[in-house]
Amino acid sequence: IHTDRITFARDGRWYADGEPVEHRRLANLFSRSLRRKPSGEGFEIWIDERYHADVDVEDTPFVVIMVYE
């Protein structure tokens, strides 16, 4: 994916350049790879040294999507 802007929105969905990320596995990868930047200011998707990107987080970076009993 080549994008200038990745956003985790208030609705709990990922967006690339303002368009929803519809590919579920890619959105799950983004969620698993989200971390706070080492500087402590902001968030990034970090897969490895070659694949990483800054992320705009509109509200909270983590949301509950499912609860198991």
Side-chain angles (χ1 to χ4, degrees):
I1 199 170
H2 180 277
T3 183
D4 292 324
R5 183 173 181 197
I6 298 175
T7 304
F8 188 72
R10 285 181 183 86
D11 64 6
R13 295 184 66 191
W14 288 98
Y15 292 82
D17 294 331
E19 296 295 321
V21 175
E22 299 291 345
H23 194 280
R24 187 170 207 59
R25 290 179 65 190
L26 182 58
N28 287 341
L29 176 63
F30 285 177
S31 293
R32 287 191 314 272
S33 303
L34 183 67
R35 72 177 194 177
R36 184 171 294 281
K37 289 182 181 181
S39 68
E41 301 203 11
F43 293 89
E44 64 187 356
I45 293 170
W46 185 271
I47 297 169
D48 64 26
E49 287 78 20
R50 293 183 315 160
Y51 300 106
H52 51 88
D54 291 341
V55 175
D56 295 324
V57 175
E58 290 185 348
D59 192 14
T60 179
F62 303 103
V63 296
V64 176
I65 57 170
M66 189 178 302
V67 176
Y68 295 98
E69 293 185 45

